[in-house]
DNA sequence: AATACTGGCGCC
DNA sequence: AAAGGGCGCCAGTATT
């Protein structure tokens, strides 16, 4: 059974309607008295809940409701609209309903942004969405049934991921503000007054100025820095750190140190701490499907860029552990499975080390650069030469990414393994340089998007396993190929085993009998910085 | 003053 | 050693 659920306006009744698997109503709409009714329906029918969007589930999570399965209509609409080649059409529920009923013009979902502050003054109550939800869902079920099986798996996995995302935000990543403060103080000096410059930054700025003969230079201003170097006889194109490193001038060292610490201060300093950490938890908002490749994005707090230097602030509660699991060399393994070039990923050993041993004189860095260049479309400098080695060793894998690049350059559609469709090129792709850029994009898309869907399936599987085992372990963080769980110490081993099993199942779900393995590196630690 | 863009860099 | 894919965020800068 499926049950469509419209949480309705804040404080108002929650409305539901029972559906069959094709989405046809089994009963008239009904109102629920409260979240407990959802729990009862879950227990009685174990339905797949049909939600309009990720947000629909938020209030339920806050109320402590836990559901097993979901179908997220807006996420699925995005997948289906792109798969049908109808790019640029909005995939909000209202737009999807209008499209279904042949109404024009399609409403822009941004106009109905529930976070829009102006909406607070809008006297019109939100519409009853249940009818739209039911109609669009039924149309999606029929489209999914008519299409390839991969899309059904992708729709289910992405919907499950939306549940995981809301649950992660609710749980929050354990974050010790006191440790964060100590780390900042160690690197930057004592915390400055609001808006002030920390002592270490001020000292480095002074060193930079002194190195330029005492003339004031704002190290935060690229233009200013370029002018200062020009006066000193160094004509630079940019102030990127790798370009600065090639310059012999006494200002370079303090400037590089300044840039690194200034970034830490502005992006993840005391103001970040005050804004994003509450009650010992960092709660970013995850946007499932927020990246065209199907990777998640986040809103607020730069959650996917937590600097290594601060990871010590992520600490399990007393008596608890962090189970930190990352998929080892996920993208090259995905490429091996996609292309059937199994020589690329023969076992569970570190791919880069193995490749380095036979081809690159034990230089793991070279092997990694070569493989990444193959997937990102790099060709400059040393990469070109390294790629030659790969073409000889892994012709099928290289042919696969080259084919994806050619498809992009020549304007054909490119899809991930399960069927996520790459958005088309923007106008201007006739220019040769733009066509090549497009080729790099699609070359990367097939690998990155397939890796992202592997990770979605992993999350869905992991969630299922933890629920089935009634595990107290909670997923609290996810970034691309890495998941962190917070678990009581005595439950950590089982949680680690669940992650490994979920990874294995994800490989099976995507690639069936492929011999390519997707090993997880799992560590059970108290601090995120510990190996 | 508000908004949009750019350069630079953090993470994968 | 060189600068290839994806993002989000900040300060500086340009525009309105």
């Amino acid at each position: 059974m499926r049950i469509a659920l419209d949480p309705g306006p804040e404080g108002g009744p929650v409305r539901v309607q029972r559906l069959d698997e094709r989405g046809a109503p089994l009963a008239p709409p009904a109102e629920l008295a409260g979240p407990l009714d959802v729990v009862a329906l879950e227990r009685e029918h174990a339905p797949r809940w049909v939600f309009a969007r990720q947000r629909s589930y938020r209030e339920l999570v806050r109320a402590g409701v836990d559901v097993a399965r979901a179908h997220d209509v807006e996420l699925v609409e995005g997948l289906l609209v792109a798969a049908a080649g109808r790019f640029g059409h909005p995939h909000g529920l209202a737009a999807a309903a209008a499209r279904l009923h042949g109404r024009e013009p399609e409403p822009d979902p941004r106009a109905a942004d529930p976070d829009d502050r102006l909406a607070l003054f809008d006297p019109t109550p939100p519409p009853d969405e249940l009818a739209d939800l039911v109609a669009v869902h039924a149309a999606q079920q029929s489209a999914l049934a008519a299409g390839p099986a991969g899309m059904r798996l992708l729709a289910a996995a992405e919907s499950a991921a939306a549940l995981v995302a809301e649950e992660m935000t609710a749980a929050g990543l354990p974050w010790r503000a006191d440790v964060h403060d100590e780390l900042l103080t160690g690197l930057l000096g004592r915390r400055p007054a609001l808006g002030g410059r920390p002592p270490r930054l001020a000292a480095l700025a002074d060193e930079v100025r002194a190195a330029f003969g005492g003339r004031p230079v704002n190290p935060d201003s690229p233009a200013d820095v370029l002018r200062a170097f020009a006066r000193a006889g160094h004509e630079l194109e940019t102030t990127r750190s790798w370009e600065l490193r090639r310059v012999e001038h006494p200002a370079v060292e303090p400037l590089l140190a300044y840039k690194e610490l200034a970034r830490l201060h502005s992006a993840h300093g005391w103001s970040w701490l005050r804004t994003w950490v509450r009650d010992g938890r960092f709660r970013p908002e995850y946007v499932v499907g927020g990246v065209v490749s199907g990777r998640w994005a986040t809103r607020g707090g730069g959650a996917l860029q937590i600097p290594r230097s601060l990871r010590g602030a992520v600490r399990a509660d007393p008596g608890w552990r962090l189970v930190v699991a990352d998929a080892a060399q996920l993208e090259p393994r995905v490429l091996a499975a996609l292309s059937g070039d199994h020589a690329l990923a023969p076992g569970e050993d570190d791919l880069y080390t193995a490749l380095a041993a036979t081809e690159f004189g034990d230089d793991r860095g070279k092997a990694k650069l070569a493989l990444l260049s193959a997937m990102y479309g790099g060709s400059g400098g040393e990469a070109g030469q390294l790629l030659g080695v790969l073409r000889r060793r892994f012709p099928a894998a290289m042919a696969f990414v080259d084919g994806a690049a050619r498809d992009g350059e020549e304007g054909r559609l490119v899809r991930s393994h399960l069927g996520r469709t790459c958005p088309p090129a923007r106008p201007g792709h006739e220019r040769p340089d733009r066509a090549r850029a497009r080729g790099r994009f699609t070359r990367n898309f097939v690998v990155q998007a397939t890796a992202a869907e592997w990770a979605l399936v992993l999350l869905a599987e992991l969630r299922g396993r933890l629920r089935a085992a009634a595990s107290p372990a909670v997923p609290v963080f996810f970034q691309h190929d890495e998941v962190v769980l917070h678990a009581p110490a005595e439950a950590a081993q089982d949680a680690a085993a669940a992650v490994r099993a979920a990874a294995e199942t994800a490989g099976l779900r995507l690639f069936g009998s492929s011999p390519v393995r997707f090993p997880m590196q799992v560590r059970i630690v108290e601090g995120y910085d510990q190996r």
Side-chain angles (χ1 to χ4, degrees):
Chain A
M1 181 189 283
R2 295 181 170 229
I3 302 180
L5 185 148
D6 170 20
E10 181 95 33
V14 172
R15 302 184 70 234
V16 296
Q17 186 163 19
R18 301 183 192 201
L19 313 170
D20 67 17
E21 284 304 307
R22 293 166 55 204
L26 293 171
E31 283 190 7
L32 299 185
L36 279 182
D37 283 357
V38 176
V39 176
L41 286 170
E42 172 77 11
R43 194 167 301 149
E44 190 182 345
H45 303 290
R48 187 175 292 276
W49 294 89
V50 179
F51 298 115
R53 57 189 72 85
Q54 201 177 321
R55 212 189 156 78
S56 307
Y57 182 55
R58 189 164 305 173
E59 301 309 322
L60 293 180
V61 173
R62 279 202 192 125
V65 175
D66 174 32
V67 304
R69 300 181 301 149
H71 175 113
D72 185 310
V73 164
E74 293 192 353
L75 286 175
V76 173
E77 189 71 11
L79 295 170
L80 289 172
V81 164
R86 303 187 62 180
F87 299 100
H89 293 257
H91 54 267
L93 176 61
R99 195 156 46 232
L100 188 62
H101 297 123
R103 293 198 303 264
E104 295 291 341
E106 293 174 343
D108 184 340
R110 281 162 299 189
D113 183 355
D115 289 330
D116 189 344
R117 307 180 88 180
L118 290 175
L120 292 173
F121 305 101
D122 185 350
T124 53
D128 161 25
E129 287 195 326
L130 191 58
D132 282 355
L133 185 59
V134 168
V136 174
H137 167 255
Q140 291 183 348
Q141 284 301 92
S142 115
L144 286 171
M151 285 294 282
R152 291 191 284 280
L153 173 56
L154 181 53
E158 186 138 284
S159 295
L163 300 181
V164 176
E166 285 305 313
E167 288 160 356
M168 276 185 181
T169 301
L173 182 64
W175 197 285
R176 286 271 299 272
D178 57 331
V179 176
H180 187 155
D181 179 67
E182 280 168 25
L183 290 168
L184 289 177
T185 304
L187 292 163
L188 296 163
R190 281 183 56 83
R191 172 184 185 164
L194 213 61
R197 195 182 241 179
R200 180 91 183 101
L201 282 184
L204 286 166
D206 286 345
E207 279 185 49
V208 171
R209 191 179 56 200
F212 283 122
R215 234 172 122 160
V217 174
N218 179 359
D220 287 320
S221 164
D224 212 15
V225 170
L226 287 183
R227 279 192 294 271
F229 273 109
R231 281 195 297 271
H234 299 277
E235 297 286 345
L236 296 175
E237 292 288 315
T238 71
T239 63
R240 286 181 174 83
S241 57
W242 60 265
E243 197 173 346
L244 288 177
R245 264 187 266 276
R246 294 190 306 211
V247 177
E248 287 210 32
H249 188 277
V252 168
E253 193 195 320
L255 183 56
L256 288 171
Y258 178 92
K259 283 158 76 81
E260 192 178 333
L261 291 175
R263 178 173 169 81
L264 182 71
H265 178 238
S266 69
H268 287 96
W270 288 280
S271 136
W272 181 93
L273 184 57
R274 205 173 43 248
T275 309
W276 293 107
V277 177
R278 283 273 178 285
D279 305 320
R281 294 290 186 269
F282 169 42
R283 301 172 197 276
E285 184 180 347
Y286 296 97
V287 187
V288 174
V291 180
V292 293
S293 65
R295 279 183 170 185
W296 293 13
T298 58
R299 240 192 315 257
L304 300 182
Q305 300 113 259
I306 299 171
R308 292 183 175 281
S309 56
L310 292 181
R311 292 191 175 182
V314 180
R315 291 195 66 84
D317 290 349
W320 289 57
R321 297 290 182 274
L322 299 173
V323 179
V324 182
D326 72 296
Q329 305 103 40
L330 177 59
E331 294 193 346
R333 289 178 190 278
V334 162
L335 174 56
L338 275 173
S339 63
D341 201 333
H342 303 141
L344 175 57
E348 300 215 345
D349 293 342
D350 184 288
L351 287 192
Y352 305 135
T353 305
L355 179 59
T358 57
E359 300 291 344
F360 296 108
D362 279 331
D363 186 339
R364 186 179 184 275
K366 270 192 182 178
K368 184 173 178 176
L369 175 66
L371 273 175
L372 292 181
S373 298
M375 292 181 294
Y376 293 168
S379 59
E382 197 183 11
Q385 186 187 340
L386 302 181
L387 280 176
V389 175
L390 293 190
R391 279 183 208 293
R392 177 166 51 72
R393 271 291 297 275
F394 311 117
M398 293 303 293
F400 188 90
V401 285
D402 289 346
R406 207 177 319 113
D407 286 343
E409 282 189 36
E410 296 171 6
R412 288 183 290 275
L413 278 187
V414 170
R415 299 188 211 271
S416 71
H417 185 60
L418 293 183
R420 191 184 302 273
T421 307
C422 185
R426 278 203 264 271
H429 57 274
E430 313 78 19
R431 285 171 39 188
D433 58 324
R434 297 287 292 276
R436 275 193 300 277
R438 175 71 185 165
R440 285 194 296 274
F441 186 95
T442 52
R443 172 191 294 269
N444 182 248
F445 179 90
V446 291
V447 178
Q448 188 184 113
T450 303
E453 59 206 15
W454 179 89
L456 292 179
V457 175
L458 165 87
L459 282 178
E461 279 294 326
L462 174 61
R463 183 175 186 273
R465 282 168 190 277
L466 294 174
R467 293 181 83 264
S471 169
V474 196
V476 289
F477 188 60
F478 169 69
Q479 63 176 349
H480 313 313
D481 60 358
E482 175 182 0
V483 60
V484 179
L485 299 122
H486 192 217
E490 62 276 13
Q493 288 293 352
D494 286 350
V499 178
R500 289 203 171 89
E504 194 165 324
T505 306
L508 279 173
R509 286 277 163 87
L510 259 73
F511 301 114
S513 59
S514 166
V516 175
R517 310 259 57 90
F518 294 93
M520 300 294 287
Q521 288 179 341
V522 188
R523 53 190 212 269
I524 296 172
V525 292
E526 291 182 45
Y528 192 21
D529 57 335
Q530 293 161 358
R531 294 305 316 169

